[in-house]
Amino acid sequence: MVIAEAMLADLPAVPSSASLVEAACLLRRTGIALLPVRSASGIVGYVSEKDLALKGCGSGGDPAAIVVADVMTVDTVTLPGSAPAEMALELMARIGLTAVVVHNNDGQIVGVATLAHVLDGLSRPPPEGPIPDSVKRVRGEPL
């Protein structure tokens, strides 16, 4: 399975000028942990639940007064949609992420792959034949 098969596409972007409260509401509505942040020049970063909790609310400031641009992550980990899902899992585990941004061959952002969606995709049985070893490893099953 490639990461594009597990990603969420057509995500709404949160404005860089939005408050942390607005960003948290949008994250909750979409049900994912990471959203792109946009400004007049396009996508300028990403904001995650972790950004909101640690950089925003954890700073002791008022979440209604702090804007997304102050807490967003600019250098985001991305993977091509053609990357194996196992690669995304390894990367998330190594860096401590719950989602990665997915780009196409032209470098354009096409979606977000969350840990839950990748695991769900890998846990589905293949259309026919034996379960791949990579899926067994993720499930903790004997090879």
Side-chain angles (χ1 to χ4, degrees), residues 7-63:
M7 74 177 189
L8 300 166
D10 301 321
L11 293 173
V14 62
S16 60
S17 59
S19 73
L20 298 191
V21 172
E22 293 169 307
C25 290
L26 188 55
L27 282 166
R28 185 176 186 150
R29 274 198 311 272
T30 60
I32 64 165
L34 178 89
L35 288 175
V37 177
R38 69 172 156 71
S39 71
S41 62
I43 301 298
V44 293
Y46 298 86
V47 67
S48 68
E49 292 171 333
K50 187 176 182 180
D51 293 330
L52 296 179
L54 299 180
K55 298 178 192 172
C57 299
S59 69
D62 177 6

Side-chain angles (χ1 to χ4, degrees), residues 57-89:
C57 299
S59 69
D62 177 6
I66 301 171
V67 295
V68 169
D70 294 336
V71 302
M72 71 181 186
T73 300
V74 178
D75 296 324
T76 304
V77 176
T78 66
L79 285 174
S82 59
E86 295 85 0
M87 179 186 291
L89 289 178

Side-chain angles (χ1 to χ4, degrees), residues 57-121:
C57 299
S59 69
D62 177 6
I66 301 171
V67 295
V68 169
D70 294 336
V71 302
M72 71 181 186
T73 300
V74 178
D75 296 324
T76 304
V77 176
T78 66
L79 285 174
S82 59
E86 295 85 0
M87 179 186 291
L89 289 178
E90 290 171 18
L91 183 64
M92 286 187 233
R94 188 172 66 242
I95 301 176
L97 302 173
T98 58
V100 293
V101 176
V102 181
H103 63 83
N104 64 17
N105 292 338
D106 297 327
Q108 296 173 316
I109 303 304
V110 293
V112 171
T114 67
L115 180 60
H117 286 95
V118 174
L119 288 172
D120 181 59

